[in-house]
């Protein structure tokens, strides 16, 4: 997909702040620092639309990125970030839950995990949470440039078996450094944008 005019639209914590134009939303979930912002920048071929940080836990709100008035990439705060206070974690958890379970515009959840590590307890909790929402899901094994090219397919298959033993959810590799995986991801999410 050729993206011409992507823009950051709004950060929100309450439903009355969400965009109201009815465009489909592709929602990114994953632990802090798994590369959700880099994923957005790579997919739309921009360096800095979504702010990236080496410091985990930077995203504390739901960020809506308007992609050519066709759909939104929605970046949710990462989980498993220990420096957030208990109270902050609870607040963030509440508005994420409210968004995921009540937002009608969600078309697809893209669940990012780190290809180098087995899914953590938090990953499994989030995965179960996503499944319980009943929304379509794509699992992305991110940071595929960090392992040998020859090991990518095998590792993706292993991660799929650990998280989704039924094999009914597509799992794809991704890397912000190696752009070779981009087309596969676009091909997958295109169907959800154009429904």
């Amino acid at each position: 997909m050729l993206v011409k005019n992507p823009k950051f639209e709004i950060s929100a914590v309450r439903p009355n702040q969400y965009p109201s134009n009815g465009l489909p939303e592709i929602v990114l979930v994953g632990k802090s620092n798994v590369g959700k912002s880099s994923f957005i920048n790579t997919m739309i071929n921009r360096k800095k639309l979504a702010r990236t940080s080496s410091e985990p836990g930077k995203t504390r709100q739901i960020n809506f990125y308007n992609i050519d008035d066709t759909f939104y990439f929605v970046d949710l705060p990462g989980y498993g970030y220990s420096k957030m206070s208990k109270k902050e974690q609870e607040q963030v958890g509440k508005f994420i839950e409210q968004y995921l379970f009540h937002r009608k515009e969600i078309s697809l959840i893209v669940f990012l995990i780190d290809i180098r590590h087995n899914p953590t307890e938090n990953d499994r909790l989030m995965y179960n949470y996503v499944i319980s929402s009943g929304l379509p899901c794509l699992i992305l094994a991110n940071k595929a440039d960090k392992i040998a090219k020859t090991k990518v397919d095998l590792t993706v298959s292993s991660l799929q078996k650990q998280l989704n033993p039924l094999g009914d959810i597509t799992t794809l590799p991704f890397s912000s450094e190696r752009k070779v995986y981009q087309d596969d991801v676009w091909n997958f999410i295109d169907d959800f944008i154009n429904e």
Side-chain angles (χ1 to χ4, degrees):
M1 175 183 261
L2 182 63
V3 175
K4 292 177 179 164
N5 187 30
K7 55 184 183 283
F8 168 72
E9 192 158 304
I10 194 166
S11 290
V13 293
R14 291 188 301 280
N16 65 355
Q17 298 171 324
Y18 304 159
S20 56
N21 53 18
L23 292 177
E25 293 171 4
I26 307 293
V27 183
L28 309 176
V29 300
K31 68 184 174 199
S32 293
N33 240 16
V34 75
K36 296 185 297 296
S37 301
S38 296
F39 167 81
I40 294 171
N41 290 333
T42 301
M43 291 295 283
I44 62 172
N45 220 3
R46 297 289 188 282
K47 284 202 163 59
K48 293 184 178 156
L49 182 70
R51 285 184 300 254
T52 59
S53 171
S54 56
E55 186 188 324
K58 272 297 197 199
T59 305
R60 304 278 175 102
Q61 298 168 310
I62 302 172
N63 291 324
F64 290 83
Y65 296 90
N66 184 322
I67 312 302
D68 293 352
D69 289 324
T70 307
F71 73 99
Y72 287 97
F73 275 132
V74 182
D75 188 7
L76 294 190
Y79 53 81
Y81 178 58
S82 56
K83 283 192 184 166
M84 229 190 260
S85 73
K86 203 89 179 132
K87 191 176 178 200
E88 275 180 311
Q89 284 177 14
E90 275 173 24
Q91 284 172 334
V92 168
K94 274 186 187 141
F95 70 68
I96 289 176
E97 188 171 337
Q98 185 177 39
Y99 172 76
L100 283 179
F101 279 84
H102 300 288
R103 183 69 167 159
K104 301 268 187 288
E105 285 79 358
I106 298 174
S107 294
L108 175 70
I109 293 181
V110 178
F111 180 47
L112 286 92
I113 53 174
D114 190 324
I115 199 167
R116 298 168 297 178
H117 309 295
N118 288 332
T120 63
E121 191 53 39
N122 280 334
D123 287 330
R124 290 177 188 282
L125 283 170
M126 191 55 167
Y127 172 78
N128 291 332
Y129 192 70
V130 167
I131 295 309
S132 70
S133 74
L135 293 160
C137 179
L138 166 68
I139 300 170
L140 270 199
N142 198 24
K143 308 195 179 187
D145 54 288
K146 305 290 188 196
I147 64 172
K149 280 183 187 173
T150 51
K151 292 184 177 168
V152 169
D153 289 346
L154 205 61
T155 310
V156 167
S157 175
S158 163
L159 287 169
Q160 165 129 28
K161 284 184 185 124
Q162 291 177 66
L163 263 185
N164 175 241
L166 283 176
D168 59 345
I169 292 175
T170 301
T171 304
L172 295 172
F174 193 77
S175 162
S176 296
E177 302 298 317
R178 284 185 206 150
K179 307 282 169 77
V180 291
Y181 306 110
Q182 224 172 323
D183 287 346
D184 289 342
V185 178
W186 271 127
N187 289 339
F188 187 89
I189 68 177
D190 257 354
D191 293 342
F192 295 92
I193 296 165
N194 298 314
E195 270 183 1

